[in-house]
């Protein structure tokens, strides 16, 4: 039986085990997907050493960057992003494991948002500067958009939320929320923006998929903006990971 899994800490929120184990059952695949909750990244070596049937694993918070030092090869996209969320495990002729790192977040996001982009969508605001935002920025650049990141605190090459003005939103007609603001159970929270400046020319994309429609998206929809949550991205990045493991 092939084994797959996910590393991170904590893992109670993870969508991956249910998704992949259901996929294995439905498609008659002789495989199992487990959760490897690692309090410290150094515990990864024991997982590799004592799970000889491990063919690949996903990586989630807080190890998308730290895992890179354990890998034998990293895809150009993942290296440019600076984060890995899919690891393929094979073995050399002498039996030692060979670990390759990829980033499927960029694949899922790009495939999900591309059909929604119009010619007037030239600039995008990225809310948040965490690990996921790196893949989003890279994907938007690949799709030809200029980006600007927004943070709660002052950082290089970012602006703060209070600097997002109505005038700024005239140019930045794509807004992607990469923060947990609005995620269940905090249904009544949303990033602080001048939502009244949004128009039907705007596209709001939220990486959150629980709830289906965050307050961020509701406020955008009320102004006529196109809105989309992160569920399709999640499904597409999971399938991209499966393609990597079996490619």
């Amino acid at each position: 039986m092939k084994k797959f899994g996910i590393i991170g800490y904590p893992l109670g929120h993870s969508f991956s085990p249910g998704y992949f184990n259901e996929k294995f059952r439905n498609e008659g695949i002789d495989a199992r997907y487990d959760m490897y909750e690692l309090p410290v990244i150094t515990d990864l070596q024991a997982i590799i050493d004592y799970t000889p049937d491990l063919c690949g694993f996903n990586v989630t918070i807080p190890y998308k960057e730290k895992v890179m030092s354990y890998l034998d090869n990293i895809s150009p996209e993942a290296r440019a992003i600076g984060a890995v969320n899919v690891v393929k495990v094979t073995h050399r002729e002498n039996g030692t494991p060979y670990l390759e790192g990829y980033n499927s977040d960029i694949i899922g996001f790009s495939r999900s948002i591309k059909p929604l982009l119009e010619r007037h969508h030239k600039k995008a605001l990225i809310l948040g500067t965490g690990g996921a935002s790196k893949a989003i920025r890279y994907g938007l650049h690949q799709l030809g958009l200029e980006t600007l990141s927004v943070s709660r605190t002052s950082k290089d090459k970012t602006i703060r939320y209070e600097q997002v003005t109505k005038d700024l939103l005239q140019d930045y007609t794509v807004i992607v929320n990469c923060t947990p603001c609005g995620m269940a159970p905090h249904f009544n929270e949303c990033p602080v923006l001048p939502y009244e400046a949004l128009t039907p020319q705007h596209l709001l994309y939220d990486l959150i998929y629980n709830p289906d429609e965050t307050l961020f998206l509701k406020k955008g929809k009320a102004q006529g903006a196109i809105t989309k949550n992160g569920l399709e991205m999640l499904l597409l990045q999971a399938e991209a990971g499966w393609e990597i493991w079996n490619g």
Side-chain angles (χ1 to χ4, degrees), residues 5-245:
I6 182 169
I7 67 167
Y9 189 85
L11 286 177
H13 68 284
S14 180
F15 145 95
S16 298
Y19 175 83
F20 280 108
N21 284 318
E22 182 177 0
K23 176 184 177 69
F24 298 156
R25 286 192 299 271
N26 292 341
E27 299 182 20
I29 299 169
D30 188 22
R32 189 178 78 201
Y33 191 102
D34 295 317
M35 290 196 293
Y36 300 104
E37 198 166 62
L38 308 182
V40 290
I41 187 64
T42 50
D43 290 342
L44 174 60
Q45 193 60 53
I47 300 297
I48 301 299
D49 292 342
Y50 296 104
T51 316
D53 297 328
L54 187 64
C55 298
F57 56 92
N58 292 113
V59 184
T60 189
I61 297 171
Y63 299 135
K64 288 186 178 185
E65 297 172 356
K66 294 178 181 178
V67 75
M68 296 175 76
S69 63
Y70 288 79
L71 307 178
D72 299 290
N73 186 52
I74 300 172
S75 74
E77 293 83 4
R79 191 175 294 281
I81 293 166
V84 162
N85 76 321
V86 176
V87 176
K88 181 176 181 178
V89 183
T90 54
H91 290 83
R92 300 179 178 89
E93 289 185 3
N94 64 4
T96 57
Y98 184 81
L99 276 59
E100 300 173 89
Y102 300 85
N103 192 300
S104 68
D105 284 339
I106 180 181
I107 301 171
F109 173 71
S110 297
R111 290 178 181 175
S112 178
I113 198 172
K114 186 176 181 180
L116 302 177
L117 294 174
E118 303 288 350
R119 295 184 64 180
H120 63 270
H121 292 137
K122 300 181 185 301
K123 296 183 179 182
L125 285 182
I126 300 174
L127 309 183
T129 55
S133 69
K134 296 180 179 181
I136 301 310
R137 183 184 307 111
Y138 189 90
L140 288 169
H141 287 173
Q142 281 195 323
L143 292 169
L145 277 72
E146 181 182 326
T147 65
L148 178 62
S149 295
V150 185
S151 176
R152 290 177 298 176
T153 58
S154 297
K155 296 181 180 180
D156 289 341
K157 301 179 181 178
T158 68
I159 63 172
R160 296 190 307 276
Y161 282 92
E162 54 265 35
Q163 294 175 282
V164 180
T165 63
K166 295 179 181 179
D167 288 342
L168 186 75
L169 290 184
Q170 290 182 8
D171 291 328
Y172 287 84
T173 52
V174 176
I175 308 175
V176 184
N177 179 35
C178 300
T179 78
C181 186
M183 183 183 295
H186 304 289
F187 302 109
N188 295 320
E189 297 179 6
C190 65
V192 180
L193 301 170
Y195 290 96
E196 66 277 10
L198 299 178
T199 70
Q201 299 292 304
H202 284 83
L203 166 60
L204 271 61
Y205 193 107
D206 201 329
L207 268 59
I208 294 171
Y209 56 92
N210 182 17
D212 292 340
E213 188 175 59
T214 58
L215 186 57
F216 167 71
L217 295 182
K218 287 179 180 178
K219 285 177 172 286
K221 183 178 287 186
Q223 298 298 121
I226 302 299
T227 63
K228 188 164 188 173
N229 70 18
L231 181 59
E232 185 183 46
M233 173 186 166
L234 189 71
L235 298 172
L236 289 171
Q237 69 86 15
E239 281 303 311
W242 181 246
E243 292 169 8
I244 289 167
W245 291 330

